[in-house]
Amino acid sequence: MGFMGSFDAVDDRLRRWIARHRRVFALTGAGCSTASGIPDYRDDRGEWKRRPPVMILAFRTQDAVYRRYWARAYAGWPRLTSAAPNAAHRAFAQWESAGTLHHVVTQNVDGLHQRAGSRAVVDLHGRLDVVVCLGCGARTSRSALQDAIAAANPDWRAEAVTAPDGDADIDARVIESFVPPRCEACGDLLKPDVVFFGENVPTERYEHAREALGRADALLVAGSSLMVYSGFRFVRLAREAGLPIAIVNRGRTRGDDLAELKVERDVGTALAGAVAAIA
Ligand SMILES: [Zn+2]
């Protein structure tokens, strides 16, 4: 589904759509964070750009997968922590302050909505800055774990990373020499507190988001191709409830046929103007 007319006409339709609704539920995805330097894993057609993310079963059961994951994650962390909120995150925070954005449910795990000042945020897929033990369930901070990893790998060359898009590509020899972290309390495997492929969104978190959608009068999808079902199901729920749906995304999405408005633009560019008009 393409769009008709000029950018200006589409922007005006988005402005009017935002001005028309009082309790908007926004679902945001990778396209909100790409301008912050955090890579999107899918291209405009919804295809994987590089390798797909690690599957939970392989992570739990294969030492080599576990080691490779943590070597790349450890090396890529400085880039993630140096990322700053962009115009998209600022627009959502401003919209919430204006009073008509009810909730942001994000598929992103970078915490940038909160850093931009948004308060009513559900991190649907968790947060990278928290680590959970798969054995005892202990939760710790990622930055503390980074220090522990550094101490256990004093001579390891994280700069062997050759990652133009941030998805740390380290050669096999370097990865083999990496000592992956273990839980300090019980010795079991550690995982960032994010939903891996093959895992479900925790029930309580999903219910919280669903209740928020139940109190909303419209759904805006921003920067997501909706290829992951945990996000797409909110579009289906909104449709079943008869809520108007708008989508801002460069490239097609799985929800295009269900939306009354589709804006093929960068999220920050499209939202900044539209939100400024109501604030
Ligand atoms: Zn443990």
Side-chain angles (χ1 to χ4, degrees):
M1 171 173 153
F3 69 87
M4 306 290 174
S6 69
F7 278 145
D8 284 350
V10 171
D11 283 349
D12 192 52
R13 287 177 66 198
L14 181 62
R15 249 193 305 275
R16 283 187 278 119
W17 191 92
I18 285 175
R20 194 156 64 230
H21 301 294
R22 304 263 70 86
R23 298 174 71 77
V24 176
F25 176 109
L27 176 70
T28 72
C32 282
S33 290
T34 44
S36 295
I38 294 173
D40 185 359
Y41 287 101
R42 292 175 188 269
D43 65 17
D44 288 354
R45 299 185 315 278
E47 307 292 336
W48 292 114
K49 284 178 182 168
R50 291 167 61 88
R51 69 181 73 76
V54 172
M55 299 293 294
I56 186 62
L57 184 63
F59 183 83
R60 279 177 177 276
T61 59
Q62 297 176 33
D63 288 348
V65 171
Y66 183 79
R67 179 183 296 110
R68 189 171 67 235
Y69 176 87
W70 273 115
R72 289 195 174 117
Y74 171 69
W77 183 245
R79 180 189 172 116
L80 273 175
T81 54
S82 68
N86 65 62
H89 304 106
R90 289 191 293 272
F92 281 109
Q94 191 183 357
W95 188 2
E96 183 182 288
S97 295
T100 59
L101 176 63
H102 184 232
H103 250 83
V104 171
V105 172
T106 186
Q107 299 173 290
N108 299 336
V109 294
D110 52 38
L112 290 178
H113 279 298
Q114 290 89 338
R115 280 177 53 196
S118 285
R119 295 173 190 281
V121 180
V122 175
D123 297 297
L124 195 61
H125 294 161
R127 288 279 294 263
L128 273 179
D129 55 5
V130 177
V131 176
V132 63
C133 172
L134 296 180
C136 70
R139 291 161 63 88
T140 50
S141 95
R142 174 66 180 276
S143 61
L145 183 68
Q146 287 289 122
D147 292 344
I149 293 173
N153 292 273
D155 302 319
W156 196 72
R157 318 282 290 184
E159 65 274 20
V161 170
T162 60
D165 65 359
D167 187 10
D169 240 343
I170 312 173
D171 78 58
R173 288 190 318 281
V174 177
I175 287 175
E176 272 173 31
S177 68
F178 182 79
V179 180
R182 290 277 184 160
C183 176
E184 278 190 11
C186 78
D188 213 323
L189 302 180
L190 295 174
K191 187 176 81 80
D193 193 16
V194 300
V195 175
F196 274 32
F197 274 63
E199 286 189 300
N200 293 318
V201 172
T203 305
E204 193 178 321
R205 193 185 300 160
Y206 168 66
E207 289 301 331
H208 178 189
R210 204 168 59 92
E211 282 169 21
L213 182 64
R215 294 191 295 274
D217 66 357
L219 168 68
L220 176 85
V221 177
S224 174
S225 59
L226 298 169
M227 291 301 160
V228 178
Y229 187 71
S230 58
F232 181 62
R233 66 180 168 185
F234 290 101
V235 177
R236 293 185 63 169
L237 287 169
R239 176 70 172 199
E240 286 163 16
L243 298 185
I245 299 167
I247 298 177
V248 180
N249 190 61
R250 265 209 301 240
R252 76 174 172 82
T253 86
R254 202 174 168 187
D256 288 355
D257 293 341
L258 304 177
E260 64 176 16
L261 175 61
K262 169 74 186 292
V263 179
E264 291 262 358
R265 290 199 81 176
D266 163 72
V267 178
T269 310
L271 274 186
V275 168
I278 59 157

